[in-house]
Every structure is written in structure tokens, then in C-alpha cells.
Amino acid sequence: MGRRRLFMAGAVLGILWPVPMFLLIDTRQPVLILIALVVCFGGAVGAAMAAQAGFLTELFPAEIRYSGVAFAREISGAVLGGTAPVIATILYAATGSWWSIAGLMVANAVITLIAVYFSKHFRTENSLDVESVPKNEGQRLAATG
């Protein structure tokens, strides 16, 4: 499974899993809570994290790859990941229910799915596509370096 498809599979699980996860957590049964969290973090989050590094490097040409990946990952992580607990707390305080938090999780996963799907239009010609690199290119670069 390619990085893009793995990322999209994680996003789809992120869309489908929040409601069942919260229903399992609501049972207050430790084993069911553990299952809910393992599927969430081992499935949706795990798939996204496994694919993320390789996926992001394909989006930027070599000249700006380090800065592009760092900016894309760290800024979005700080803005979305850093504020998520605060937003979830505000949503829960306003609604008194986990449904709004599940909705937030689904909305984030939908945005991720859409972004990853359309990312193919933004990939560069300098991507790390192994098939596009001539077989002797590494040897040529090593000899001239």
C-alpha cells in the first residue's frame, strides 16, 4: 500500500471511528476503553504517522524540502494539535456531550482525506519517486560529489 493510500485509509478510519470509540468509552469498561483507544491510536493515528514523513517529502522539491516539510508539519501540529484539547473542552462545556468532540474529530479527518486526495496535483517533478530516478543516478552523483 502506497503512502498516499495508507494516509487516506487512516483518514477514513478517523472519520468512521470517533462515534464507536466514544460509545465504547461511555461503557466505562476498562477493556472496551482500551480497545477503543488502541484502534484509534494504532489505526487512524498510526496509519497517518507511518505515512506522513514519506508523504510530505513528495510534496516539495529538494531545494525547499526541509523547510516545506518542517513548516507543513510543525505549524499545523502547533495550531491544530496544540489547540485541540482546549477546543474539545470548550465543546464539551458548551454541549455537555462527547458528540461535539466526535464531530470535531470527524471534521479534521474529512479535511485530511480531502487534502491527501488532492495532494497528487501538487506533487513536484523532483519528488522522491524511485521509478523516475535513473538506476545509475546514485553512482553518478557519488562520483561527481
Side-chain angles (χ1 to χ4, degrees):
M1 179 178 284
R3 288 183 283 267
R4 186 168 165 265
R5 288 185 13 193
L6 179 61
F7 215 144
M8 290 175 74
V12 168
L13 185 58
I15 292 167
L16 300 175
W17 189 245
V19 171
M21 179 185 74
F22 280 110
L23 289 171
L24 287 171
I25 291 171
D26 239 4
T27 66
R28 300 178 192 262
Q29 298 295 316
V31 172
L32 295 178
I33 293 170
L34 181 64
I35 290 168
L37 296 176
V38 165
V39 171
C40 178
F41 290 105
V45 175
M49 290 295 143
Q52 189 180 64
F55 174 81
L56 288 176
T57 59
E58 293 177 350
L59 296 177
F60 301 99
E63 299 81 26
I64 61 166
R65 185 166 293 140
Y66 184 83
S67 299
V69 170
F71 185 79
R73 188 176 187 290
E74 302 309 323
I75 297 298
S76 66
V79 171
L80 298 175
T83 60
V86 174
I87 294 170
T89 302
I90 291 168
L91 288 172
Y92 188 79
T95 64
S97 172
W98 54 260
W99 282 96
S100 57
I101 300 169
L104 175 66
M105 293 171 71
V106 168
N108 284 334
V110 166
I111 291 168
T112 298
L113 184 63
I114 292 168
V116 171
Y117 176 78
F118 285 107
S119 70
K120 66 183 175 187
H121 299 293
F122 299 102
R123 295 195 181 182
T124 65
E125 291 181 20
N126 298 356
S127 72
L128 293 179
D129 184 8
V130 175
E131 291 147 9
S132 68
V133 177
K135 297 216 183 293
N136 62 353
E137 185 66 16
Q139 294 171 346
R140 186 188 66 79
L141 290 175
T144 59

